[in-house]
Amino acid sequence: HHHHHIIIVIIIITHATIHHSTTTTHAILHHHPAPPSTTHHHHPPHRRIMTSPSPMNKAAAATAYGITSILLVMINKKILFTYKFGSPIVLLLMHLSFSLFFLEASRHLNLLLLREWETRIAMKMLPLSLTFVLNILCSFYALRFTSVPIFTTLRRMTTMFVLLTQWKVLGMTPTRTVVYCVILMMLGAILAGLGDLGFDPLGYMFVFLNNTLTAGYLVAMKYYFGSLKLQAVEVLRYNCMLSIPLIFMLTIANGQLFAVLNSLQAMSFDFLSIFLTSGFLAFAVNFSTYWCTHVNNPLTTSVTGQLKNILTTVLGMMLFPDVHINSMFLCGIGIGTVGGVLYSVHKFMESQQTKETNDKDAHTQDAPGNVEMGGIKKEHGGMGSPRQ
């Protein structure tokens, strides 16, 4: 009865996380620094504490991001594989609806500061939102037809797809270290695939489609929509608002929504609990990712991402019967994990060097306002990060 334990854990975590986030996130997002003054006053100590998040806040954000991400993968796997739920598009509709509801609730409670709806932005975002929807649908089908360890390992190859897209579309050449890390991740994926006794070509096809769409989404978000200056949660809001009407009409047209509603009475309480929990977690993952990137440095977020990938792989092996362990399989997953960790470390060191260069430029140009880089990492601007 793994699902009973999962539900109890979720309730405890949710209560603790929401209680902590309602106080801390409000403090972060609503703090306005004092205007510059010509006279020298000693600021009260509480103002200094408010400007940088507390260690407790940082730890809570990273923990919430890691735990919600792991739980979402486990619960979606249980819905699609164990319960063999045959309407992933209805699951997606529920995820988006829950996310939009909680986003709007957070906005009205002043927990999140979101810009007003702009039709100009919505029209630009429409093709991106369609990519976003197809991306999540592919991830659902991929999770249904592949084991969790294989899914996690193959999803690491998204990095390779992003690099190829940047090279073909934008003419950007990756550094040698990045290429070596990607080769390690690819080697891990190939070995894990060769050792996968439960190989399903349909599942692998959906993972590669998922990777391609994620790469396209990320590159478009960074290089074509970066000028819109949208926060990750604002991107999610536009995606939800643009996607929900389309998916709703589609589920009515193909009869899947009515089929699911008609079979509600026949569904067990356990399934309904897990199904609804999945909807809440879809929002919780995005909120906690945003929170984590907002209060922590990129290294903490990146390390948390790698740790949750490792834990997801281990739990996937323990909880689901579609994993057939052998030496080739374990070797592939190990190499893929090492590649992922090295890539994260390299990207962090690269960002630190860029920051140091920017600091030097700012000092030479006497423009202190250019040093601080605002905004949230755009790679988290979907229904969950690409590594999920």
Side-chain angles (χ1 to χ4, degrees), residues 190-201:
I190 291 163
L191 288 174
L194 290 170
D196 181 17
L197 300 176
F199 175 78
D200 187 327

Side-chain angles (χ1 to χ4, degrees), residues 119-130:
T119 311
R120 174 186 62 88
I121 293 175
M123 293 307 291
K124 281 186 177 180
M125 288 284 293
L126 191 58
L128 199 71
S129 294
L130 294 174

Side-chain angles (χ1 to χ4, degrees), residues 130-254:
L130 294 174
T131 310
F132 163 82
V133 166
L134 286 171
N135 192 19
I136 302 166
L137 268 180
C138 284
S139 75
F140 284 166
Y141 281 107
L143 198 54
R144 185 177 183 178
F145 294 115
T146 60
S147 67
V148 171
I150 285 289
F151 175 74
T152 310
T153 304
L154 294 178
R155 286 291 282 134
R156 281 202 182 92
M157 289 179 73
T158 301
T159 309
M160 182 192 75
F161 284 79
V162 170
L163 294 176
L164 285 173
T165 309
Q166 286 178 339
W167 176 62
K168 286 293 284 180
V169 178
L170 303 163
M172 292 171 66
T173 313
T175 61
R176 194 176 292 176
T177 313
V178 166
V179 172
Y180 290 150
C181 292
V182 169
I183 288 169
L184 268 182
M185 287 188 268
M186 273 182 65
L187 182 64
I190 291 163
L191 288 174
L194 290 170
D196 181 17
L197 300 176
F199 175 78
D200 187 327
L202 198 61
Y204 278 65
M205 183 194 80
F206 277 117
V207 176
F208 283 107
L209 267 174
N210 193 192
N211 288 348
T212 307
L213 289 165
T214 303
Y217 181 90
L218 292 180
V219 171
M221 197 66 242
K222 188 171 182 181
Y223 297 102
Y224 297 107
F225 295 91
S227 58
L228 295 175
K229 298 283 187 290
L230 291 170
Q231 300 178 92
V233 281
E234 288 172 331
V235 173
L236 175 63
R237 185 164 168 248
Y238 274 102
N239 280 338
C240 288
M241 292 176 108
L242 292 167
S243 307
I244 288 172
L246 295 170
I247 297 170
F248 181 70
M249 287 188 285
L250 189 62
T251 52
I252 287 176
N254 66 15

Side-chain angles (χ1 to χ4, degrees), residues 252-311:
I252 287 176
N254 66 15
Q256 288 197 27
L257 184 61
F258 292 121
V260 170
L261 292 172
N262 289 334
S263 60
L264 275 177
Q265 285 183 319
M267 291 176 184
S268 67
F269 174 75
D270 287 349
F271 174 78
L272 286 173
S273 304
I274 286 174
F275 190 74
L276 293 173
T277 303
S278 170
F280 169 73
L281 282 171
F283 167 74
V285 165
N286 283 281
F287 182 83
S288 59
T289 305
Y290 168 77
W291 181 21
C292 189
T293 53
H294 197 85
V295 299
N296 285 305
N297 62 33
L299 181 63
T300 306
T301 306
S302 195
V303 167
T304 308
Q306 290 301 329
L307 283 174
K308 63 103 176 161
N309 280 346
I310 294 165
L311 281 169

Side-chain angles (χ1 to χ4, degrees), residues 104-119:
E104 291 303 315
S106 301
R107 190 167 73 94
H108 287 294
L109 292 168
N110 291 327
L111 296 177
L112 287 174
L113 287 172
L114 303 175
R115 279 196 279 173
E116 289 299 317
W117 169 273
E118 288 182 45
T119 311

Side-chain angles (χ1 to χ4, degrees), residues 331-382:
C331 185
I333 283 165
I335 290 170
T337 303
V338 169
V341 171
L342 289 174
Y343 177 77
S344 292
V345 170
H346 173 70
K347 291 308 283 181
F348 173 72
M349 288 166 75
E350 210 175 56
S351 70
Q352 290 297 100
Q353 285 170 358
T354 309
K355 194 181 170 194
E356 281 170 22
T357 309
N358 288 349
D359 285 354
K360 284 174 188 170
D361 290 347
H363 287 307
T364 52
Q365 291 167 16
D366 194 28
N370 296 335
V371 182
E372 189 77 18
M373 297 280 286
I376 303 301
K377 281 168 72 184
K378 286 290 184 286
E379 70 172 34
H380 294 294

